[in-house]
Amino acid sequence: MSSTINGIIETSARGSKPRTAHIDNSREDTITVDREEYLARVDALLEMLIGIYFRLTKLLTLLPVPIGLPRIGDETDPFDVVHALVRARALILDLPLDDKVRSLLHMTLTEWPAVLDLCALCMMEDEQEEYRIDAIWLMIIRLGTLTEMLAPELGLNLDL
């Protein structure tokens, strides 16, 4: 799994995404991938999603009224994380925030659980649908961009 994560991260730095697939000749319009490889790619994308969650957790603590999210670890129930994000989404509506910040937070808090849902669907379904991986990838890129836009608005320096 580590090599898959590194491959995706290295490829994302160059601005494109990895694609390893072969054509299933029995279905001309479908691209299929090996199940293990497909799940490894989903795992790698989940790692990226968790990274965005850590950034979002930090951003929410910088609000005028800080909002805490549960820590993600081996024992964390994903439902607790999703419920916390949904609750935070409702809370930001009543905070004294600039419209831009509120909008960026609302989009981020709406999309993050949706990406997690799509990852879960990929892991449960027997068929490996390439478009789902593509959708997750694009949503993660968008979430990263949203949090990068939020950081300076809330006084967080993302420079390493």
Side-chain angles (χ1 to χ4, degrees):
M1 176 168 38
S2 177
S3 64
T4 304
I5 292 171
N6 290 337
I8 287 178
I9 291 170
E10 288 170 8
T11 306
S12 70
R14 291 192 308 264
S16 62
K17 68 183 190 61
R19 295 185 67 108
T20 334
H22 66 275
I23 302 294
D24 178 355
N25 291 329
S26 64
R27 292 173 52 189
E28 291 177 25
D29 62 338
T30 304
I31 297 176
T32 60
V33 293
D34 175 78
R35 178 83 177 146
E36 280 185 38
E37 177 188 335
Y38 183 80
L39 293 177
R41 290 170 67 200
V42 173
D43 282 344
L45 292 168
L46 278 168
E47 292 287 331
M48 295 172 76
L49 186 62
I50 289 168
I52 290 169
Y53 180 84
F54 291 141
R55 185 185 294 170
L56 180 58
T57 298
K58 177 64 177 168
L59 291 168
L60 290 173
T61 65
L62 300 173
L63 295 175
V65 177
I67 298 174
L69 294 177
R71 295 178 60 116
I72 292 183
D74 292 337
E75 302 299 317
T76 306
D77 185 342
F79 292 108
D80 291 340
V81 171
V82 170
H83 289 300
L85 290 168
V86 170
R87 187 176 66 250
R89 184 174 172 249
L91 290 173
I92 64 163
L93 299 177
D94 295 326
L95 292 180
L97 297 171
D98 174 89
D99 287 342
K100 178 180 177 181
V101 171
R102 181 177 288 107
S103 177
L104 291 169
L105 279 170
H106 191 266
M107 286 186 278
T108 304
L109 293 166
T110 300
E111 288 187 32
W112 199 99
V115 177
L116 185 63
D117 288 348
L118 194 51
C119 288
L121 178 64
C122 287
M123 297 180 108
M124 291 186 302
E125 290 290 319
D126 289 335
E127 290 188 32
Q128 293 76 245
E129 299 291 350
E130 189 69 22
Y131 76 89
R132 288 186 183 133
I133 295 286
D134 292 343
I136 293 167
W137 174 262
L138 292 172
M139 292 170 83
I140 286 173
I141 296 300
R142 179 174 159 87
L143 284 167
T145 301
L146 289 169
T147 58
E148 287 173 10
M149 292 171 66
L150 272 165
E153 297 291 329
L154 295 173
L156 179 64
N157 183 359
L158 294 178
D159 294 334
L160 298 175

